[in-house]
């Protein structure tokens, strides 16, 4: 009971802070529209890069453009949601350095909610929009014998994928408590992760795929479930039912990230500035 | 002679400033290496599908990737160099203080940005490049001359990169807000420099256009000079022309801006 009320408190605090940032962004409406378009354009460049590749070839690692667009759309949409919710986590290091992190600790609201909603940026909807558009195009152009399970799996993938990426953000933030200056390490796993998942698993080396399946389970964001939807061989010959495990993987990741976050907070020593 | 000492000191200052952030540098090295690995795999798949794409063989494509990761922060391809400081100083009005200094504004910032670039090259660029050479087959020349030729191309690339970003920063005198222009720097930098896709593999007319733009001086030219794909002097001429044009334009814009300077926050 105490846990649920604490969760509710966190969500409430999150929305209060996020709402404040939304209102402040809306004060300069033109600026907001411009930065959102910029965000859309900037994140769209990744897909333009893929289109450029496909201007020269018909398939990559044995996968065609609509199939890669499907991977891309899933990865970017899931990551976009996580980035919208927790994307400001990388300011944690600088907040610790300048001492303002201490202020968050004494406020009567969960620190994770405060730091997650810090500088909540509505412009990040640009990435989600772009991901959804590519995903929509992919869904209409891939050749799939749609079944109820496959149709249901698509939204499940997006939500679980977002949760997995959220867990990576939280774990990254916990790491920043130890290494305050190293927010870029987090980028390797967050931005690097979403970039990786935009390409089919057949492109990468076996050990590499093993790493992002069993160590950092990004493969469950799209590679494994998408292989089921598209009727492709699974990466690493995983069993058929593995396609339906993303929600479980997401829960496990969230639990581990939560532990890491607590350990990080527990060991936090103020810089004294 | 005295003024050269001054600018050399500014270069050293720029270098030292970035050298202070050790953990950030290690983090950057790690991130560049991870992105390099992802990109190398996709390029290898691409070159498997179409060998000799853009006139490169596989080893050359791999070399291109790792040089790109080496130069990503060196040339501030997505921004984040001296232009960031210039924009901030224009916005806050501190630029007025800079104008009173007995030093040339453009040269001052060029020197500072060169110091930053030198540190990023040594501190952040070399390790991912060496990592790439150790774990992936690369097409590296064995003669000293090719490496010396690369260093000249890199120096020119740094000046061109600064030229573009300085122009962008000066526009803030009129725009008053740097957000949009920084996004512009990022988008054009990432797309036109060839970091996403080698410019010589761009299709058709689009390829002709991007290869003629100044961003081509940043990664494509040094890569081709290193791998002996182009005549170094032709590459230098291309880079130097853009460097002169951009710096001259920066000078013009700078004098126009300082004549109408409105000090903010006063």
């Amino acid at each position: 009971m105490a846990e649920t009320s604490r969760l509710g408190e966190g969500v409430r605090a999150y929305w209060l802070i996020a709402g404040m940032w939304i209102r402040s962004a809306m004060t300069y409406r033109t600026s907001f529209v411009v930065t959102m378009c910029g965000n859309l354009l900037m994140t769209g460049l990744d897909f333009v890069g893929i289109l450029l590749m496909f201007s020269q070839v018909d398939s990559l690692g044995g996968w065609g453009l609509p199939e890669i667009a499907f991977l891309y759309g899933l990865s970017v949409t899931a990551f976009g949601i996580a980035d919208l919710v927790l994307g400001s986590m990388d300011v944690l290091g600088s907040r610790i350095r300048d001492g303002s992190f201490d202020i968050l600790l004494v406020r009567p609201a969960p620190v994770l909610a405060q730091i997650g909603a810090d500088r909540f940026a509505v412009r990040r909807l640009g990435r989600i929009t772009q991901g959804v558009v590519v995903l929509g195009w992919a869904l209409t152009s891939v050749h799939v014998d749609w079944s109820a399970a496959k149709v249901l799996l698509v939204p499940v993938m997006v939500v679980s994928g977002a949760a997995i990426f959220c867990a990576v953000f939280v774990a990254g933030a916990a790491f920043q408590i130890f290494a305050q200056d190293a927010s870029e390490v987090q980028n390797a796993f967050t931005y690097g992760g979403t970039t990786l998942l935009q390409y089919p698993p057949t492109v990468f080396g076996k050990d590499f795929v093993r790493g992002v399946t069993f160590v950092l389970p990004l493969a469950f964001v799209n590679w494994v479930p998408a292989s089921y939807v598209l009727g492709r061989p699974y990466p690493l010959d995983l069993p058929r039912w593995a396609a339906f495990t993303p929600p479980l993987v997401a829960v496990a990741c969230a639990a581990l990230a939560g532990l890491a976050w607590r350990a990080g907070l527990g060991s936090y020593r103020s810089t004294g500035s | 002679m005295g003024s050269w000492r001054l600018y050399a000191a500014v270069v050293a200052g720029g270098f030292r400033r970035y050298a202070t952030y050790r953990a950030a540098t290690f983090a950057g090295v790690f991130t560049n290496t991870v992105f390099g690995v992802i990109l190398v795999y996709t390029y290898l798949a691409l070159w498997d599908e179409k060998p000799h794409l853009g006139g490169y063989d596989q080893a050359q494509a791999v070399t291109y990737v790792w040089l790109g990761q080496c130069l990503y922060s060196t040339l501030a391809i997505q921004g984040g160099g001296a232009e960031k400081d210039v924009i901030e100083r224009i916005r806050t009005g501190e630029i007025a203080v800079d104008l009173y200094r007995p030093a040339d504004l453009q040269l001052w910032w060029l020197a500072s940005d060169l110091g930053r670039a030198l540190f990023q090259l040594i501190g952040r660029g070399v390790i991912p490049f060496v990592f790439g050479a150790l774990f992936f087959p690369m097409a590296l020349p064995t003669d000293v001359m090719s490496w010396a030729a690369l260093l000249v191309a890199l120096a020119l690339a740094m000046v061109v990169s600064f030229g573009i970003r300085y122009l962008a920063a000066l526009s803030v005198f009129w725009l008053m807000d740097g957000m949009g222009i920084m996004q512009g720097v990022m988008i054009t930098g990432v797309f036109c420099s060839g970091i996403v896709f080698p410019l010589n593999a761009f299709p058709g007319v689009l390829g002709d256009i991007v290869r003629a733009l100044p961003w081509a001086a940043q990664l494509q030219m040094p890569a081709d000079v290193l791998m002996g794909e182009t005549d170094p002097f032709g590459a230098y001429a291309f880079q130097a022309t853009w460097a002169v044009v951009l710096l001259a334009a920066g000078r013009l814009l700078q004098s126009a801006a300082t004549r109408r300077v409105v000090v903010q926050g006063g």
Side-chain angles (χ1 to χ4, degrees):
Chain A
M1 198 55 209
E3 275 296 312
T4 44
S5 73
R6 183 139 177 85
L7 185 71
E9 199 188 323
V11 172
R12 213 179 84 83
Y14 185 94
W15 278 116
L16 278 173
I17 301 167
M20 182 191 81
W21 286 104
I22 294 172
R23 275 196 303 282
S24 102
M26 290 307 162
T27 318
Y28 301 98
R29 217 159 279 232
T30 323
S31 172
F32 164 71
V33 172
V34 172
T35 51
M36 171 134 165
C37 291
N39 189 270
L40 205 132
L41 212 67
M42 207 149 61
T43 57
L45 270 187
D46 288 340
F47 194 65
V48 173
I50 292 176
L51 288 177
L52 277 174
M53 290 182 180
F54 275 88
S55 73
Q56 304 285 3
V57 297
D58 296 324
S59 72
L60 198 65
W63 294 49
L65 181 58
E67 293 171 305
I68 288 184
F70 184 56
L71 289 182
Y72 178 96
L74 287 168
S75 168
V76 171
T77 309
F79 178 72
I81 295 170
D83 187 43
L84 179 72
V85 177
L86 293 175
S88 302
M89 284 289 200
D90 54 357
V91 300
L92 188 92
S94 62
R95 276 195 169 276
I96 291 175
R97 280 198 304 280
D98 70 16
S100 60
F101 187 66
D102 294 22
I103 300 168
L104 304 187
L105 288 174
V106 296
R107 281 200 198 130
V111 187
L112 192 61
Q114 292 184 58
I115 195 88
D118 193 17
R119 293 180 213 167
F120 184 88
V122 201
R123 63 162 187 279
R124 295 203 174 108
L125 284 171
R127 189 191 298 273
I128 301 178
T129 312
Q130 187 252 333
V132 168
V133 168
V134 175
L135 183 60
W137 177 78
L139 286 174
T140 57
S141 37
V142 285
H143 299 291
V144 172
D145 289 327
W146 289 102
S147 63
K150 285 181 182 178
V151 172
L152 271 175
L153 198 51
V154 175
V156 170
M157 271 192 264
V158 172
V159 174
S160 326
I164 293 174
F165 274 123
C166 278
V168 177
F169 272 111
V170 172
F175 174 72
Q176 278 189 70
I177 296 180
F178 296 105
Q180 300 156 14
D181 227 3
S183 65
E184 249 195 282
V185 168
Q186 190 173 341
N187 291 351
F189 295 105
T190 51
Y191 290 92
T194 179
T195 308
L196 169 86
L197 296 177
Q198 292 164 11
Y199 299 95
T202 45
V203 162
F204 300 96
K206 259 261 157 66
D207 286 326
F208 199 78
V209 176
R210 244 176 237 133
V212 291
T213 306
F214 299 119
V215 182
L216 185 72
L218 293 175
F220 294 90
V221 172
N222 64 359
W223 281 353
V224 179
S227 296
Y228 170 78
V229 173
L230 299 174
R232 288 261 167 194
Y234 283 29
L236 307 173
D237 299 323
L238 290 171
R240 302 290 293 167
W241 50 263
F244 300 94
T245 55
L248 296 177
V249 174
V251 169
C253 286
L256 284 174
L259 284 178
W261 174 252
R262 278 195 188 177
L265 268 192
S267 71
Y268 172 70
R269 275 163 211 279
S270 173
T271 50
S273 50
Chain B
M1 265 334 264
S3 69
W4 284 111
R5 291 240 307 271
L6 168 71
Y7 294 116
V10 178
V11 171
F15 187 97
R16 268 200 306 277
R17 176 178 157 201
Y18 282 85
T20 321
Y21 302 109
R22 276 198 215 131
T25 303
F26 284 125
V29 165
F30 180 74
T31 306
N32 283 119
T33 309
V34 170
F35 271 93
V37 171
I38 295 172
L39 219 53
V40 157
Y41 278 125
T42 60
Y43 276 31
L44 286 175
L46 196 62
W47 261 261
D48 257 345
E49 201 71 37
K50 192 167 183 179
H52 301 292
L53 177 57
Y56 285 166
D57 60 25
Q58 284 211 340
Q60 285 176 312
V62 172
T63 312
Y64 184 91
V65 168
W66 289 108
L67 189 67
Q69 290 307 311
C70 169
L71 298 182
Y72 196 62
S73 45
T74 303
L75 299 178
I77 281 174
Q78 60 164 355
E83 86 285 0
K84 207 176 61 183
D85 300 327
V86 178
I87 288 173
E88 193 52 27
R89 291 184 79 82
I90 295 173
R91 220 177 48 77
T92 58
E94 281 166 307
I95 196 82
V97 181
D98 299 348
L99 287 168
Y100 279 116
R101 281 207 195 104
D104 182 82
L105 193 66
Q106 191 187 31
L107 271 180
W108 173 281
W109 287 111
L110 173 62
S112 161
D113 197 54
L114 284 180
R116 178 201 59 78
L118 277 176
F119 173 74
Q120 302 284 38
L121 180 66
I122 297 165
R124 263 184 83 153
V126 172
I127 298 175
F129 191 79
V130 171
F131 175 89
L134 287 176
F135 292 97
F136 296 91
M138 273 167 59
L140 296 176
T142 46
D143 60 310
V144 183
M145 281 313 287
S146 302
W147 290 97
L150 171 70
L151 288 184
V152 178
L154 282 187
L156 286 165
M158 286 174 192
V159 180
V160 171
S161 156
F162 169 79
I164 295 170
R165 288 177 289 117
Y166 192 64
L167 275 178
L170 287 176
S171 72
V172 175
F173 271 114
W174 287 272
L175 297 175
M176 296 299 166
D177 178 59
M179 194 103 163
I181 198 74
M182 293 287 261
Q183 273 185 340
V185 164
M186 198 177 218
I187 291 167
T188 48
V190 170
F191 186 73
C192 303
S193 69
I195 196 94
V196 205
F197 200 58
L199 299 182
N200 53 1
F202 271 56
V205 185
L206 183 62
D208 296 334
I209 295 171
V210 288
R211 283 189 293 271
L213 295 176
W215 289 275
Q218 296 187 49
L219 173 54
Q220 191 65 51
M221 289 294 163
D224 283 343
V225 166
L226 176 70
M227 297 188 286
E229 283 290 300
T230 182
D231 164 43
F233 294 102
Y236 298 161
F238 177 84
Q239 291 180 302
T241 308
W242 272 120
V244 169
V245 169
L246 289 165
L247 289 182
R251 206 137 265 270
L252 269 175
L253 204 61
Q254 177 184 307
S255 60
T258 47
R259 257 184 277 121
R260 67 173 293 282
V261 71
V262 180
V263 177
Q264 294 219 70

